[in-house]
Amino acid sequence: MGPEGGTLTGLFQDVVEQLPGKIAVTAGEARLTYRELNDRADAVAGELISKGVRPGAVVPLLAPRSTELLVGILGILKTGAAYLPIDPGYPPERVVWTVENSASSVVVSTSGLSAALFGPDAEVVLLNRLPTAPARAAGLPPVRGSDVAYVIHTSGSTGVPKGVQVEHHSVVRLFDVTRKWFDFDENDVWAAFHSAAFDFSVWEIWGALLFGGRLVVIPQDTARSPAALHELLLAQGVTVLNQTPSAFSRLAAADTHAARPLTDLRVVVLGGEKLEPAALRPWMERYGDAHPRLFNMYGITEATVHASCRPLRHADLSVEGPSPIGEPLPDLAFHVLGQDGTPVPAGTPGELFIEGPGLARGYLSRPELNKERFVELTGPDGAPHRCYRTGDRIVALPEGGYGYLGRTDDQVKIRGYRVEPGEIESLLCRHPDVSEAVVVPHDYGENDVRLVAYVASGTAGATLAPQLGEQAATTLPPHMRPSTYVVLPELPLTLNGKVDKAKLPPPETGVTQAPAAQEPQSPAELTGTEERIARIWQSVLKVPRVGRETDFFDLGGTSLSLLRMFTQVNEEFGTDLDITVLVDGATVGALAPHIDAALSSSPGN
């Protein structure tokens, strides 16, 4: 059984008819069978249609990581509309902008999330207040393969996010052309690890639901804790896992200390950022390369999640050079072009242009950008071929397939998300005291990449940085917020008048954005445990001061640096605490009592 054509809703309906009583999705204690999921989605569709939603519309979806998220997605699709997922963790300003930009008169959400964002007059279909009686599916409009299934936003260099429109047929053919590698079926258990606003989630959700598998929704706090994630994967018998390389490296580290191996896991798909195969050595030394099988898949949102596939073997661990991304998916073509727009010789790096049915329809309401990125190339037959200009540099490898080299522009990857520094720079320049800004990535070690903002201003950094941090926090999602601000009288320039990034001072000369970072930190105010924790935080985050109630993430921390910090804290105190103890707040004051309690209960105390 597998998708061979049609639409996501049509193929899902086929599974419902074949496996109505099988569990489709679990989230904590909640679970829905395929029939229950279908009935609840029909109810959502009926509500949307009654509120005027018609085929071709774009409907924003703001829902927590829960079974309700899947109900919302399917309910929107059943109307012939496209779902536009919004991460609940995004700032309210960005959520409201996304909703307004969709031009939708209706939002699908939950009462807990929508109340604070939308006024009482807003049209909101509440997933937690659905009719108990299922809607009549016969009243639903037909859905076509050429209809847009979803719109996912990526960062935009002009300061405005880009909404990528992907059609049903593009997703359906993705699973058809990749079946030779994976053989997904109804026995698979998929982990829904990623935010629905990140296109890796499309692969996770539909990889489960189109084949009759079970989707396990991973809670946010579990996703942030490798040890908790490992435990959940074991408990749920997950067979298919999808991770960015940096997230997988943390899971692999937790696995080395786990009492039980992940024996149910049969497929691991890596993607979203550059892979260094040598980093997989500890994992392969424990599991080998046959069970589970590991794959590196290169892809972009504009080409429907994945565009190439490379099965990984133990021999890849010792191969140096470009990151191997494998061969294009069978229905896609890679064109590697030089700066003059002509094909480069084999083995010569060039910019990747992708051709094929996986390409998105284009950007939502951005005709000029469509012309710039979705271009027509003249093929050997003399006819125009629609291609997407990726901005990625790749090279054909001697052994076959391709290697990824990096970007041709300033775009960067932060924890799997594509980030256009220009969008952040545009925001910073809105501040009246900033005349110029440049944002660059900086690796603090162990692939802990954070964004550093350099701004030109006559205002002191200690005064300006908290203001800029607050401005970013109200507008940008967490992965796009600079961790440090370096304020300079002017930015260094090259002879051509461009910012000379090689002459920018090190990030340590800047300050974090958190006003609380300036809290006094004298021994009299911090306990002995707090003081030792604070010193570790200072070392990991490269900040001069840490207050008792300063949030780790306000100090510029990332999920990776949080794990590094936690490892060092456990080593310092000889404890074995899990990161989930910080679920209610990542502060020195919140962590210290857990350390003290663990020490007092240990043998000998």
Side-chain angles (χ1 to χ4, degrees):
M1 179 180 64
E4 296 178 350
T7 63
L8 296 174
T9 48
L11 292 167
F12 173 75
Q13 197 69 44
D14 291 343
V15 176
V16 173
E17 293 175 3
Q18 296 174 45
L19 303 167
K22 187 176 185 298
I23 299 297
V25 55
T26 58
E29 297 300 317
R31 58 186 54 209
L32 293 174
T33 65
Y34 273 92
R35 181 191 290 113
E36 291 168 337
L37 177 56
N38 188 60
D39 287 347
R40 294 196 65 195
D42 282 346
V44 171
E47 288 287 299
L48 289 172
I49 291 172
S50 72
K51 294 181 182 298
V53 172
R54 297 294 181 264
V58 176
V59 179
L61 172 62
L62 180 69
R65 295 192 185 206
S66 63
T67 57
E68 293 169 334
L69 174 67
L70 282 303
V71 171
I73 288 174
L74 277 159
I76 293 169
L77 290 177
K78 282 172 174 281
T79 69
Y83 71 93
L84 192 167
I86 304 174
D87 194 305
Y90 284 2
E93 180 179 320
R94 194 177 187 92
V95 172
V96 173
W97 177 92
T98 305
V99 170
E100 293 175 348
N101 186 64
S102 73
S104 176
S105 59
V106 183
V107 176
V108 176
S109 188
T110 62
S111 53
L113 290 174
S114 65
L117 292 168
F118 311 114
D121 297 330
E123 286 281 16
V124 182
V125 171
L126 296 175
L127 294 166
N128 56 323
R129 295 181 183 174
L130 292 174
T132 54
R136 298 175 68 100
L140 300 178
V143 181
R144 302 166 301 177
S146 58
D147 289 338
V148 175
Y150 62 83
V151 176
I152 283 182
H153 281 84
T154 63
S155 180
S157 59
T158 62
V160 180
K162 310 186 296 285
V164 183
Q165 305 174 92
V166 178
E167 299 171 349
H168 280 257
H169 74 89
S170 293
V171 184
V172 170
R173 43 69 48 191
L174 172 64
F175 291 99
D176 187 31
V177 300
T178 56
R179 70 173 69 209
K180 70 173 185 177
W181 288 296
F182 302 112
D183 297 320
F184 299 135
D185 62 25
E186 65 271 22
N187 297 310
D188 279 316
V189 179
W190 290 66
F193 179 87
H194 297 93
S195 164
F198 183 21
D199 73 334
F200 222 156
S201 68
V202 173
W203 173 255
E204 294 173 323
I205 291 169
W206 298 107
L209 298 185
L210 295 187
F211 292 91
R214 179 164 65 91
L215 186 68
V216 179
V217 180
I218 309 296
Q220 183 67 56
D221 57 341
T222 301
R224 289 175 174 168
S225 169
L229 175 61
H230 191 280
E231 183 177 339
L232 187 145
L233 297 177
L234 272 173
Q236 294 293 332
V238 169
T239 65
V240 182
L241 178 66
N242 305 276
Q243 297 269 273
T244 60
S246 58
F248 186 68
S249 67
R250 302 195 291 271
L251 176 65
D255 182 74
T256 61
H257 302 292
R260 295 170 53 205
L262 297 168
T263 53
D264 290 320
L265 202 58
R266 74 175 190 88
V267 170
V268 175
V269 174
L270 303 173
E273 61 188 12
K274 186 177 181 180
L275 169 71
E276 298 295 345
L280 300 174
R281 186 175 299 279
W283 176 274
M284 284 199 177
E285 286 179 349
R286 184 172 191 187
Y287 290 96
D289 58 11
H291 190 85
R293 292 178 296 154
L294 270 64
F295 299 85
N296 188 34
M297 298 188 78
Y298 161 83
I300 50 177
T301 307
E302 290 85 347
T304 313
V305 190
H306 298 306
S308 73
C309 183
R310 166 67 182 263
L312 297 168
R313 298 290 181 256
H314 197 276
D316 291 317
L317 301 180
S318 57
V319 175
E320 298 180 353
S323 178
I325 60 173
E327 61 185 77
L329 300 188
D331 64 344
L332 300 180
F334 281 11
H335 303 287
V336 187
L337 308 182
Q339 292 184 344
D340 60 357
T342 61
V344 299
T348 300
E351 182 177 356
L352 171 62
F353 289 69
I354 300 177
E355 175 189 355
L359 295 191
R361 177 184 291 187
Y363 297 113
L364 182 65
S365 304
R366 303 288 292 276
E368 293 304 315
L369 189 59
N370 285 334
K371 292 179 182 178
E372 177 186 333
R373 306 306 297 187
F374 293 90
V375 300
E376 289 190 346
L377 300 180
T378 302
D381 56 0
H385 293 248
R386 183 174 185 258
C387 298
Y388 178 73
R389 183 175 189 174
T390 67
D392 287 326
R393 293 179 69 247
I394 69 170
V395 62
L397 301 178
E399 65 272 20
Y402 292 88
Y404 177 80
L405 296 168
R407 294 288 302 172
T408 62
D409 55 22
D410 292 331
Q411 189 183 92
V412 297
K413 283 286 187 76
I414 301 292
R415 299 184 292 285
Y417 290 90
R418 290 160 53 195
V419 173
E420 295 277 5
E423 181 176 353
I424 308 168
E425 294 162 0
S426 176
L427 171 69
L428 298 180
C429 287
R430 296 177 199 167
H431 193 287
D433 293 334
V434 175
S435 59
E436 193 175 10
V438 62
V439 175
V440 298
H442 182 77
D443 192 336
Y444 285 81
E446 301 180 30
N447 290 320
D448 179 13
V449 179
R450 309 176 210 163
L451 295 173
V452 178
Y454 293 84
V455 298
S457 175
T459 304
T463 301
L464 183 58
Q467 297 175 21
L468 295 177
E470 183 177 350
Q471 182 174 328
T474 59
T475 306
L476 301 174
H479 63 270
M480 292 182 64
R481 299 172 195 167
S483 64
T484 301
Y485 294 84
V486 180
V487 180
L488 303 170
E490 59 184 19
L491 301 183
L493 302 178
T494 65
L495 293 177
N496 294 328
K498 296 182 179 181
V499 175
D500 191 342
K501 295 180 181 178
K503 292 184 179 179
L504 292 170
E508 289 76 11
T509 61
V511 295
T512 62
Q513 71 271 31
Q518 309 308 317
E519 292 178 15
Q521 184 196 329
S522 66
E525 294 177 338
L526 294 181
T527 67
T529 300
E530 290 173 341
E531 192 173 3
R532 292 165 68 184
I533 296 172
R535 283 200 295 267
I536 293 172
W537 287 31
Q538 289 172 249
S539 173
V540 170
L541 295 173
K542 309 298 183 186
V543 295
R545 311 181 67 165
V546 175
R548 176 183 286 112
E549 301 305 322
T550 311
D551 188 270
F552 186 86
F553 295 100
D554 286 342
L555 287 168
T558 63
S559 55
L560 180 55
S561 57
L562 182 70
L563 290 167
R564 293 174 58 206
M565 174 277 292
F566 215 82
T567 298
Q568 291 187 30
V569 167
N570 275 329
E571 291 175 351
E572 167 76 13
F573 291 96
T575 53
D576 190 28
L577 293 175
D578 185 79
I579 202 169
T580 52
V581 300
L582 294 179
V583 66
D584 293 324
T587 66
V588 168
L591 179 56
H594 293 287
I595 296 291
D596 289 336
L599 293 176
S600 63
S601 63
S602 62
N605 289 325

